[in-house]
Amino acid sequence: MKCLTIIGARPQFIKAAVVSRAIRHNENIEEIIVHTGQHYDNSMSDLFFAEMTIPKPKYNLGICNLSHGAMTGQMLEQIEKIIWHEQPDIVLVYGDTNSTLAGALAAKKLHVKVAHVEAGLRSFNMNMPEEINRILTDRISDILFCPTQTAMNNLQKEGLGNMSCQILNCGDVMYDAATFYASQSRKPTEEIPPKFILCTVHRAENTDNEKILRSILKALEQLSENIPVLIPLHPRTKAKLTAIQYDFDNSKIHFIAPVGYLEMIFLLQHCELVMTDSGGLQKEAYFFHRNCVTLRNETEWIELVTNGFNSIAGVETDNIICTVQKVMKQNPDYSVDLYGDGNAGQKIVNHLSLCCGQDKIR
Ligand code: UDP
């Protein structure tokens, strides 16, 4: 069975590392990786392939720095050509980026089956490009690998349970990644304060609106008076900060370049608290028993909130500071298992392998 994997952004490399390793141990499946180029430089791409030993992509499309329409359109065109050429049995897509949607759409139009890893997530905020990508990808996928029961329920509510697709709860591949790589964590080369808050900000709705971006920065600067706030700075956020002429030199915030996954695990293992608008990092805070404050008005990972591991702070300066002060005092019980047993990747590959040769797949 030939599986064409479409990836292009940092979180997808992390998720694919898990599944790809399981595929390499399965003699029924040949994997061909397509890197769309959405994230391209060393710190956002190559580093992950090297650290996580992801096989070299056979195709690298180099499609980046374009508007949503242009990017998705160019990916669609290029992936279609690759599907014609490779004739895969299945196309495997991850998460919620333009690469996910383009891969799923190209395959479906050519009647090649689509499997979606991390299906069923919903923020219920249609202003997020990710939400649009998720909903459309789920709707045309043939196999939907959900990370949680909440995700399964979301798909049932949308009626996908009545359609000719398979919906499975296999657990979260990011939990597999965290457990597999935890012992390989690595201190970043930059100086890291002994105590710090780990923070990431990169969602378009936070970075593209100057008022919101400044409101978040103000909160982070005020918090930095008491405890250093360390930010591995996403290129999109860096570009926005440069555009608004943010004074990096006189900032109280401790900025470093984006780090690799092993360095990120080190930071998660040593930080006092996580503040983020990232999807993945909210869960990783929980995996490493760190409280999390989410810099958004909602989250897809609702079970973290209902179990007291994550607090939604929004983007107002005062709300963020109050939430951090409250959360710093909390000590939740981390013995609850929310994201499976750390074998999601193996379960996904077992299922793909089981389908191998069946009419369901081709
Ligand atoms: N991450 C990383 N280095 C960084 C920042 C994030 O390795 O400098 C990892 C993080 O640990 C998580 C993933 O990237 O596994 C999250 O990616 P991102 O926040 O870009 O996307 P999202 O999860 O919001 O889709």
Side-chain angles (χ1 to χ4, degrees), residues 277-343:
D277 64 3
S278 157
L281 210 64
Q282 294 172 49
K283 286 177 295 164
E284 287 167 341
Y286 155 80
F287 299 152
F288 292 98
H289 299 184
R290 297 297 184 266
N291 294 347
C292 182
V293 170
T294 293
L295 303 170
R296 287 171 53 192
N297 294 315
E298 75 282 304
T299 179
E300 299 76 21
W301 305 102
I302 196 69
E303 54 287 326
L304 293 173
V305 179
T306 50
N307 283 282
F309 304 124
N310 186 6
S311 297
I312 304 294
V315 293
E316 291 291 326
T317 306
D318 291 346
N319 277 351
I320 295 172
I321 293 172
C322 282
T323 310
V324 168
Q325 284 165 348
K326 192 183 79 196
V327 166
M328 281 286 208
K329 293 183 198 128
Q330 288 171 351
N331 197 7
D333 173 9
Y334 280 98
S335 61
V336 193
D337 286 336
L338 297 177
Y339 294 105
D341 58 7
N343 288 307

Side-chain angles (χ1 to χ4, degrees), residues 10-11 14-15 39 43-44 48 96 174 200 202-203 232-234 257-262 264 268 276-281 284:
R10 177 170 65 186
I14 295 166
K15 291 162 200 165
H39 286 166
S43 67
M44 295 294 286
F48 291 83
D96 53 23
M174 289 196 74
T200 71
H202 78 288
R203 288 255 96 73
L233 192 57
H234 192 283
V259 294
Y261 186 67
L262 303 183
M264 200 60 183
L268 282 156
T276 191
D277 64 3
S278 157
L281 210 64
E284 287 167 341

Side-chain angles (χ1 to χ4, degrees), residues 36 44 66 68 85 127 129 143 157 172 205 207 212 216 240 255 275 279 285 313 352 362:
T36 60
M44 295 294 286
L66 295 168
H68 282 282
H85 180 69
N127 288 325
I143 308 178
K157 280 185 213 147
D172 190 346
E205 62 266 30
T207 58
I212 292 178
I216 294 172
K240 295 291 174 185
F255 291 102
M275 296 176 70
L352 292 176
R362 193 149 169 84

